[in-house]
Amino acid sequence: MRRLRNDLPYTFRPPRPRAWFRPIGLMANRYYLQKKFAVTKLDDSGFDRVRELSRAGHAVLLAPNHADHSDPHVMTELVARHGMKSHFMAAREVFEISKLGSFALESMGVFSVDRDGPDLSAIKTAITLLESSSDPLVIYPEGEIYHHHERLDPLHEGVASILLKAAARLKDGKEAYLVPVGIRFLHDPLVEETFRDRLSRLEDRIGWTPRPALPIDERIVRLGTGLLGLKEMEHTGEAGRGQIQDRLATLCDALLTIAEARHGRDPKSATAPERVRAQRYRIRKRLLDAEKPPTFVERDELLDDLDRVFTALQAHSYIGDYFLAEQTLDRRAETIMKLEEDLLGFPNYPSPRTARVTAGEPIPVSSMLAAGELPAKGGAGQLTGLLEERLSALLG
């Protein structure tokens, strides 16, 4: 999970598909998949039904799980493989890396969203695209990248809310469909040969003497527990005790409680990701207050609070029993990648991977609304629950 200390004003970036750029964008996308993310094979199933719905002129929203940085590249390639174009909602931060990158994203039909606040421009754009186009719209309902492909994090209701609003505006027989998409990554067995050296680098990064003679699983647990202890010492002054999952939850709640004591708690925010988004919104709103700019001292305190809520989200993103429950090759690889991102800034992809992508049975939202199975108002929670159930089944 990348650290975001974003205190820049937000500018919405709309989609600006350019036909001449599309072949260039698809070639670049394939290059990134293979060279940067080591995805050398792409297996898919279920997308014939998506293509049928798209060609029939219906509104199709694809909702994949989001566990890897290559997910958007995987989805772009798959949609193109089946003869379709796509639109994506993407975090504002990816547009702010470079002007050239922003131009390329917009040219491929990607538009920005500020995940920490009510981004009305992004919501209106998504609804308009569903209403006016039959090209699939891709939105990741988890919102963040967590690096655990076999577990789904709680979904945000924004995806369901957008599709329900779009469905109410569709005419002339056009119907709305929500398609759960499960993405899994399978690692080549050769990746196991990289574990010892990569763990040594991580141990050295925090000042430990590398222990290559220890069993891999023991080193992973040892390193993860050590990092947790360091974070606990940094923010609370003492290392916790007990089960890893309990310590992670305690640290997450403690950090959010500190920030909420300063900036107020949103009573509607129940889960840790919701509390994090609420705090980031309030902190950044104060940082960007043009009428009463924060003092230098207050600004430093606000930036420290951003770091606290980031660490809270980091703690939440580690599922304590995910690796401990089943030490498979893929879970080892995922956990090491996650540790690399948190310690080194970005994960390594040292060996080939296969992306296995399954489009589940489309959820007929328009038909469900017409039959009274979904309420026109207040149905986002119910639809999100159904999506979460279908996605979890796809991940198996």
Side-chain angles (χ1 to χ4, degrees):
M1 187 169 292
R2 299 179 192 174
R3 182 180 298 276
L4 300 175
R5 247 196 177 193
N6 198 333
D7 57 341
L8 301 173
Y10 170 57
T11 301
F12 174 66
R13 307 298 177 92
R16 294 189 175 95
R18 295 174 172 90
W20 65 267
F21 185 84
R22 181 173 169 77
I24 301 172
L26 289 175
M27 285 192 296
N29 188 70
R30 293 182 188 117
Y31 175 84
Y32 268 91
L33 263 181
Q34 294 186 17
K35 300 299 182 182
K36 183 173 183 178
F37 299 110
V39 178
T40 57
K41 187 177 180 182
L42 195 53
D43 295 335
D44 69 274
S45 61
F47 281 85
D48 290 343
R49 179 62 175 145
V50 175
R51 183 176 63 237
E52 290 173 6
L53 293 173
S54 177
R55 289 182 176 176
H58 295 301
V60 181
L61 198 159
L62 304 180
N65 61 304
H66 201 9
D68 194 88
H69 290 290
S70 68
D71 291 340
H73 301 276
V74 167
M75 291 300 298
T76 298
E77 177 65 18
L78 268 183
V79 172
R81 173 187 289 184
H82 288 272
M84 298 176 286
K85 298 177 182 178
S86 58
H87 293 100
F88 279 77
M89 178 186 285
R92 58 170 286 191
E93 288 81 9
V94 300
F95 289 83
E96 295 167 353
I97 295 173
S98 71
K99 291 183 178 179
L100 179 60
S102 178
F103 172 84
L105 289 168
E106 293 174 18
S107 299
M108 291 296 289
V110 185
F111 60 97
S112 67
V113 63
D114 186 350
R115 295 173 294 176
D116 298 335
D119 190 345
L120 298 181
S121 295
I123 294 171
K124 290 178 180 178
T125 298
I127 293 171
T128 299
L129 286 171
L130 290 166
E131 183 183 14
S132 61
S133 173
S134 63
D135 295 332
L137 170 62
V138 182
I139 305 179
Y140 295 92
E142 287 177 287
E144 301 278 355
I145 299 174
Y146 292 105
H147 293 297
H148 38 73
H149 301 90
E150 297 177 64
R151 297 276 185 90
L152 194 65
D153 215 69
L155 308 185
H156 306 320
E157 293 187 4
V159 171
S161 179
I162 285 171
L163 191 55
L164 286 171
K165 290 176 182 177
R169 296 168 56 170
L170 299 181
K171 300 176 182 178
D172 302 324
K174 184 172 184 176
E175 297 184 357
Y177 290 86
L178 178 59
V179 183
V181 180
I183 305 177
R184 287 283 304 278
F185 289 90
L186 307 178
H187 295 78
D188 189 290
L190 290 173
V191 74
E192 194 162 15
E193 298 177 8
T194 72
F195 289 167
R196 293 190 185 281
D197 288 344
R198 291 163 68 191
L199 286 169
S200 290
R201 185 184 180 195
L202 292 172
E203 289 166 339
D204 182 70
R205 177 70 176 83
I206 62 171
W208 284 5
T209 299
R211 304 290 184 185
L214 290 177
I216 294 297
D217 293 343
E218 182 179 341
R219 293 180 75 188
I220 293 174
V221 173
R222 180 174 175 267
L223 181 60
T225 306
L227 286 173
L228 175 57
L230 286 174
K231 286 296 180 182
E232 289 170 331
M233 285 296 299
E234 177 186 2
H235 292 285
T236 69
E238 60 181 0
R241 295 183 179 182
Q243 298 295 319
I244 291 178
Q245 187 60 40
D246 294 336
R247 290 170 60 186
L248 288 166
T250 298
L251 177 62
C252 176
D253 183 68
L255 293 172
L256 288 174
T257 299
I258 292 172
E260 288 164 347
R262 297 176 188 269
H263 310 289
R265 178 166 183 173
D266 183 351
K268 296 181 180 179
S269 299
T271 67
E274 289 171 342
R275 293 170 68 188
V276 167
R277 287 197 305 276
Q279 289 306 303
R280 286 196 306 216
Y281 173 74
R282 294 181 180 209
I283 294 167
R284 283 172 45 196
K285 184 177 180 181
R286 178 69 191 111
L287 277 168
L288 299 172
D289 190 341
E291 294 185 2
K292 188 181 178 183
T295 64
F296 288 111
V297 172
E298 185 185 2
R299 179 180 174 79
D300 287 341
E301 291 174 347
L302 290 166
L303 291 174
D304 286 343
D305 284 337
L306 277 181
D307 285 343
R308 286 190 182 92
V309 297
F310 170 78
T311 302
L313 189 59
Q314 269 187 319
H316 168 79
S317 73
Y318 281 90
I319 301 178
D321 66 344
Y322 181 71
F323 178 72
L324 295 175
E326 192 176 354
Q327 289 92 29
T328 62
L329 176 69
D330 291 322
R331 292 196 183 192
R332 288 188 185 102
E334 289 171 11
T335 304
I336 291 173
M337 286 164 53
K338 187 171 178 60
L339 291 168
E340 285 175 333
E341 181 165 333
D342 285 338
L343 281 173
L344 306 176
F346 202 80
N348 289 310
Y349 304 95
S351 62
R353 300 190 296 162
T354 296
R356 183 174 295 168
V357 188
T358 305
E361 182 64 26
I363 300 172
V365 174
S366 293
S367 297
M368 293 177 71
L369 285 169
E373 298 175 37
L374 273 176
K377 292 185 178 181
Q382 182 179 335
L383 184 55
T384 300
L386 179 58
L387 174 62
E388 189 167 332
E389 177 184 319
R390 299 278 185 90
L391 265 178
S392 295
L394 289 176
L395 298 179

